[in-house]
Structures are given as C-alpha cells and as structure tokens.
Amino acid sequence: MAAKVYVVYYSMYGHVAKLAEEIKKGASSVEGVEAKIWQVPETLPEEVLGKMGAPPKPDAPTITPQELAEADGILFGFPTRFGMMAAQMKAFFDATGGLWREQSLAGKPAGIFFSTGTQGGGQETTPLTAITQLTHHGMVFVPVGYTFGAKMFNMDQVQGGSPYGAGTFAADGSRWPTEMELEHAFHQGKYFAGIAKKLKGSA
C-alpha cells in the first residue's frame, strides 16, 4: 500500500496555501506515496475575515482531528502570530486530545512549514515553538535541515525558510512565495515523503 502523506495547513491570505501546493507536488513525486492536502477549520466569522481583507478559502477539504490518524506522515503549515503558530492551527491541535489519549499519532513523522511577515518575524521561532505539539503526541519531527543544498546559503535575495522547514515572507501581504521558496517547499515535500515511505516500509 502507498504511504499516505497529509499536508495540513491554515492560510488566511493564501501564502501558506501556495507553499502547501508545492509541498504536495514534491511528496507526490515520490513513487509509492499518496499525498493529500487538507485545511484546518477557520475560527473567525466571515464578517471578521471580510474586514481583514481575507480572500475566499481554497477548495481543499477541511480536516477533522480524527482523520490525522489515517496518515503515515503529516506536514503542518501555518502563518505566524507574534512568533508562534496562528490561533486557528493551535485550536485544531487543542482538539486532538482524543488522539493524544490513544497515542494515535505516536511514531508518525511530522514536518512544519510556515509564513512570516518579516525576516525577524519567526522563521525559526514559529516552527520551534510548534514542536511542542508534536512532542506531546510522540511524533517524530523531520526537519528539512540543509538538504536543499547550496540554495540554503543564497544571499542574493530575501529568502524564507530555515533548517526547520520551507517558509516565505508575506510582508504586508503583497509579497508572494518566490521561485526559490517554492523550490524549497517542493524539496521538503519530496524529502519528507521519502522518509515517511521508509518508516512505513520498516514498520
């Protein structure tokens, strides 16, 4: 059976959704891996989202906590809020108590990708603080490290991402993931899927 990799994200303005699409492509490029994109439930009313200028949500299905247990590996994506994951993703994790009680996610590989507003806005603190969620579930954190190679050291342009995972800078919302950032996301998906496949095969 194919290894199931779930790409689970929250995106208010679309930046994380864009990374998620590339991560799915990367994961799907690995033979024997079935990748699927999900989004977590929105917690804000439509009226508030409208005032914040948030566009309509993508067509990705909304996941329930219980559906996480079906995956062989999960990549979580979210924007930052003051250097930590957005409240919508935290609310989703808060609803996984039943999975924690049964340790349904223990031993499953997990990765993280993210979007921040500025260079000092949380490209490391956002994933670092998110690891606590994975730890309590007994998940195996799989960072992308420096497997992206020389491009991780590029200084010719502003570039999101870190050894923790792929990332982008949204600035005031007008900046979108660059080609380099999308390549990093594709690489993370492919790299992570390869590890998830190996772990499933050795189970």
Side-chain angles (χ1 to χ4, degrees):
M1 292 179 62
K4 291 184 178 180
V5 171
Y6 283 2
V7 182
V8 180
Y9 73 88
Y10 173 74
S11 187
M12 179 173 285
Y13 296 107
H15 300 81
V16 175
K18 189 75 173 174
L19 292 178
E21 290 289 346
E22 287 303 309
I23 284 179
K24 181 195 173 188
K25 290 177 185 176
S28 298
S29 72
V30 178
E31 185 178 353
V33 171
E34 176 187 316
K36 184 173 182 178
I37 279 190
W38 303 83
Q39 55 186 334
V40 302
E42 179 59 78
T43 59
L44 294 175
E46 288 295 329
E47 180 182 359
V48 174
L49 290 170
K51 291 179 178 179
M52 296 175 72
K57 296 296 182 187
D59 294 331
T62 300
I63 195 169
T64 63
Q66 292 70 29
E67 286 170 307
L68 290 177
E70 302 169 359
D72 296 303
I74 309 166
L75 284 149
F76 296 99
F78 36 81
T80 185
R81 298 292 184 266
F82 299 113
M84 300 175 71
M85 68 170 63
Q88 288 85 346
M89 182 60 79
K90 183 59 169 63
F92 179 75
F93 271 112
D94 286 350
T96 60
L99 296 175
W100 167 80
R101 190 178 306 110
E102 300 296 329
Q103 285 296 284
S104 301
L105 303 181
K108 294 181 185 288
I112 297 171
F113 59 102
F114 38 85
S115 171
T116 69
T118 64
Q119 293 183 63
Q123 291 283 313
E124 291 194 351
T125 62
T126 303
L128 183 61
T129 53
I131 291 174
T132 59
Q133 312 298 307
L134 312 181
T135 300
H136 281 264
H137 278 289
M139 302 187 82
V140 181
F141 178 51
V142 180
V144 71
Y146 283 87
T147 60
F148 193 42
K151 293 179 180 179
M152 292 285 287
F153 299 91
N154 175 59
M155 294 292 175
D156 295 333
Q157 59 179 310
V158 174
Q159 179 177 320
S162 69
Y164 293 96
T168 188
F169 295 112
D172 60 358
S174 62
R175 183 188 185 276
W176 288 90
T178 64
E179 183 178 342
M180 184 81 76
E181 291 168 343
L182 294 176
E183 285 180 20
H184 195 186
F186 182 93
H187 169 76
Q188 182 178 11
K190 183 176 181 179
Y191 175 74
F192 180 87
I195 292 177
K197 179 182 175 182
K198 288 179 183 177
L199 289 176
K200 179 178 175 64
S202 63

